[in-house]
């Protein structure tokens, strides 16, 4: 199995004098969080299946600086960004794909001002492109007809106006896609943005993730689909809070595609 999931590093490619077609930016969650690692594995399986020539930075990858910037530490953000840009430019990276909307937004919109100019894609956009090119086949499989609602990540949706790529992928799985009353441009944050992922919530009468989970559960879904590791954590916690974890799963779009095909 380890052989089937070979993930080359940029250093290995460089040593062979080669350059991959795309750099997969794994992100902190995808690298260290046990739940998010499963999303990383699912996406890598799909890249292999589609025959995509890709590499990762491995130990040379550092946090993009998104949490620091959102929490107000601009100095730390610029230090982290400068380090990453130096590495990316050193490898002459042109195209980046990531499964984290926070990394996606930061590298796409904030790195150019600091000297880092790349074509950046969210993994749902990249998978949709592979589908359109005929490199990836997505069809019903075991999720066909299942009732699924998609939670829009703030940094994919409202910050970057991408609402259709994840939904198009879900439709290809022939699921019954149901929308929450707050979706797309009116979507509600999962509660983890702005550095909130790493601290306790502010005092109030209800946590944001509970409010959002309630909106998702109103649609009576079998699965809440996500496109962000932070959202995945917050929605999973919300489902557990409502004691619905036995009947409602929280899954990333990449996991749904990989599992539909039983990769």
């Amino acid at each position: 199995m380890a052989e089937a999931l070979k993930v080359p590093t940029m250093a290995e490619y460089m040593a062979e004098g080669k350059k991959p077609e795309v750099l997969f930016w794994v992100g902190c969650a995808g690298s260290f969080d046990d739940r998010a690692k499963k999303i990383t594995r699912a996406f890598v399986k799909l890249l292999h299946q589609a025959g995509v020539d890709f590499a990762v930075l491995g130990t040379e990858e550092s946090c993009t600086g998104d949490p620091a910037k959102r929490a107000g530490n601009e100095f730390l953000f610029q230090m982290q960004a400068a380090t990453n840009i130096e590495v990316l430019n050193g490898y002459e990276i042109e195209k980046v794909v990531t499964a984290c909307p926070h990394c996606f937004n930061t590298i796409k919109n904030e790195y150019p001002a600091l000297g880092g100019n790349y074509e950046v894609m969210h993994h749902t956009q990249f998978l949709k492109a592979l589908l359109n090119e005929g490199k990836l086949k997505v069809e019903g499989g075991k999720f066909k007809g299942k009732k699924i609602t998609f939670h829009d990540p703030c940094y994919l949706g409202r910050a970057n106006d991408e609402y259709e790529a994840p939904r198009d992928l879900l439709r290809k799985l022939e699921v019954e896609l149901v929308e929450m009353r707050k979706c797309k441009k009116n979507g509600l944050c999962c509660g983890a943005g702005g550095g909130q992922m790493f601290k306790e919530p502010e005092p109030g009468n209800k946590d944001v993730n509970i409010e959002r989970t309630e909106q998702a559960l109103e649609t009576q879904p079998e699965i809440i689909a996500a496109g962000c590791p932070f959202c995945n954590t917050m929605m999973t916690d919300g489902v557990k809070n409502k004691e619905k974890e036995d009947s409602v799963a929280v899954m990333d779009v990449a996991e749904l595609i990989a599992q539909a095909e039983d990769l």
Side-chain angles (χ1 to χ4, degrees):
M1 191 63 201
E3 192 51 42
L5 265 186
K6 173 125 180 64
V7 180
T9 63
M10 280 305 303
E12 288 166 5
Y13 262 83
M14 196 81 162
E16 291 174 22
K18 293 193 305 189
K19 204 166 139 189
E21 125 194 21
V22 65
L23 172 81
F24 172 30
W25 185 277
V26 185
C28 299
S31 301
F32 300 113
D33 180 81
D34 285 342
R35 176 64 188 88
K37 283 179 196 173
K38 293 178 182 174
I39 301 170
T40 304
R41 285 192 199 103
F43 184 55
V44 166
K45 284 177 184 174
L46 294 172
L47 291 176
H48 276 304
Q49 195 197 14
V52 176
D53 185 23
F54 75 100
V56 298
L57 285 175
T59 52
E60 291 184 275
E61 183 185 299
S62 170
C63 178
T64 57
D66 164 79
K69 186 177 181 75
R70 306 296 161 226
N73 194 336
E74 181 66 23
F75 175 66
L76 177 58
F77 162 71
Q78 294 212 9
M79 276 172 54
Q80 290 177 305
T83 306
N84 286 323
I85 289 167
E86 195 178 333
V87 172
L88 291 167
N89 290 351
Y91 283 124
E92 297 176 354
I93 297 295
E94 290 165 22
K95 193 169 181 180
V96 179
V97 63
T98 179
C100 175
H102 295 255
C103 299
F104 164 71
N105 178 69
T106 304
I107 300 172
K108 178 176 183 273
N109 298 323
E110 281 156 5
Y111 277 21
L114 299 168
N117 293 285
Y118 322 102
E119 180 192 347
V120 190
M121 297 179 83
H122 183 252
H123 70 317
T124 57
Q125 297 174 324
F126 193 72
L127 290 171
K128 188 184 166 187
L130 291 176
L131 204 73
N132 293 346
E133 290 163 21
K135 291 180 179 173
L136 195 66
K137 201 161 92 323
V138 179
E139 47 195 38
K142 66 179 182 188
F143 299 110
K144 188 172 180 173
K146 282 205 185 301
K147 206 172 185 187
I148 295 183
T149 189
F150 179 70
H151 162 74
D152 288 287
C154 294
Y155 283 115
L156 182 64
R158 289 178 297 179
N160 287 287
D161 259 350
E162 179 59 82
Y163 300 105
E164 293 314 311
R167 286 175 172 81
D168 286 347
L169 292 168
L170 291 171
R171 286 189 196 101
K172 283 277 193 283
L173 290 174
E174 297 168 53
V175 307
E176 184 191 341
L177 188 60
V178 286
E179 294 292 358
M180 294 179 233
R181 56 190 166 86
K182 288 198 168 183
C183 64
K184 301 187 180 176
K185 275 191 165 47
N186 296 317
L188 182 71
C189 176
C190 72
Q196 291 288 100
M197 181 74 178
F198 307 100
K199 58 183 279 298
E200 290 305 311
E202 308 295 327
N205 58 14
K206 190 192 283 184
D207 288 351
V208 178
N209 67 316
I210 303 298
E211 175 73 21
R212 186 54 168 164
T213 303
E214 286 172 357
Q215 292 175 5
L217 293 176
E218 277 173 17
T219 68
Q220 298 181 317
E222 291 170 75
I223 297 166
I224 299 171
C228 168
F230 288 9
C231 296
N232 198 302
T233 298
M234 301 303 271
M235 298 306 281
T236 301
D237 286 353
V239 168
K240 282 179 183 163
N241 176 275
K242 296 291 177 190
E243 297 181 351
K244 294 272 193 219
E245 62 265 44
D246 293 337
S247 56
V248 180
V250 181
M251 296 176 72
D252 189 87
V253 174
E255 292 179 301
L256 289 164
I257 297 169
Q259 287 187 28
E261 295 284 333
D262 271 337
L263 289 183

